[in-house]
Amino acid sequence: MIAYANTPLFWDTLGQIPRLNLAQFPTPLLAMPRLATKLNVKELWFKRDDLISFGLGGNKIRGLEFLMADALAQHADYIVTGAGVQSNHVRATAAASAYCNLRCKAVFWGRPPDQVDGNYRVTRMLGAESFFTGDPDRASVDQGIARICGELIDQGHQPYPIPRGGACALGALGHVLAAHELYEQCDESGFMPDLVVLAAGSGGTHAGWLLGTHLLGNPWQTISVTVSREVKAVRAEIARIANETAFYLHIDWQFTPEKVAVHDGFIGEGYGIPSPEGANAIRLVGRSEGVLLDPTYTGKAMAGLIDLSQHELAKDRSIVFLHSGGEPAFFAGAGNWLQKDTNVSPTNLNR
Ligand SMILES: *Cc1c(COP(=O)(O)O)cnc(C)c1O
């Protein structure tokens, strides 16, 4: 077993895996002093992956740099992926496909929406072809992707399937690099956070950060706030993807689900349904720092961080919050979930 922390050799190996250069890195690491004061934490920084300079940004671009390079190496002519109609992942994949001159088919659960807005409007504009499973079950997307790939193969095409969220070993590599990127940024400015907080949906992002943090010698603790799956399921997914990624990199290491730190209690009524706590978190961050969060991921993750800031784990600590993007979903629908205005401070967040 190699000690990976500060071993340039390992990061060089990772650097040699084919990767499409879609955006400029590093993304900014910005101090949020007003919010830090309100939350009573020592230091609070946002890692601005929402500002990734391609396809409206967000964490999904990092995984797509590896996935699209692989698709091109395999001479694919179609990218097939899917999720919910307001998916950031599908929008980002549609942009990357267009950029690579590949056709894109997007499978969505449920039925076509009445409004073509937010991410869905962008996805359609980018030329991705949409299919609806007619089934509200999110897993119906996985069968839909497999079925469409089968049809394309029958027609003599070379489809490249990307699972929901890009949650697989190759996609997670992008987030391993993100952890390394943050480490270098912090190192340069002479500080290290105690905690990195991020949103977990499909789990690929946390999986990459978990492995990346481990490879750096655990300079901080990485904790996610689940916005979709129940905590036991998401822990298992994160460990599974992190282990697959470690295996892919020939790293002799296994994560167990119990060791994956996930904060629970902020899903609200369900995935993609804005919650009052998330809306309050969005207002608080917007009004103190002028930064926009989204109702599906980062708003709920911030609601989780606000809660954590009142507990021992985060109280009086230096924290990096991963702003993983998602803003287009803020502009989907009428936004009624934001109407119930309250004068926000962390202490009157109606939990
Ligand atoms: C997809 C997404 C996440 C979560 O990433 P997973 O890898 O699916 O867990 C967080 N924030 C935003 C904005 C996303 O689009």
Side-chain angles (χ1 to χ4, degrees), residues 125-199:
M125 177 279 292
L126 290 165
E129 226 180 307
S130 311
F131 299 84
F132 289 84
T133 65
D135 185 340
D137 182 4
R138 282 183 264 156
S140 66
V141 166
D142 307 344
Q143 291 127 43
I145 292 173
R147 188 176 53 77
I148 287 179
C149 283
E151 288 169 8
L152 284 168
I153 289 167
D154 288 345
Q155 293 159 19
H157 289 289
Q158 280 270 37
Y160 185 88
I162 298 181
R164 283 187 280 156
C168 55
L170 218 45
L173 287 181
H175 308 297
V176 174
L177 283 185
H180 187 246
E181 182 181 304
L182 175 68
Y183 182 85
E184 295 210 309
Q185 274 175 317
C186 294
D187 203 31
E188 270 165 33
S189 38
F191 101 108
M192 268 304 146
D194 299 300
L195 213 56
V196 172
V197 178
L198 66 152

Side-chain angles (χ1 to χ4, degrees), residues 59-60 88-89 165 167 175 199-206 294 297-298 324-326:
N59 57 342
K60 302 304 184 304
N88 301 303
H89 162 70
H175 308 297
S202 64
T205 306
H206 189 167
D294 81 289
Y297 292 100
T298 54
S324 43

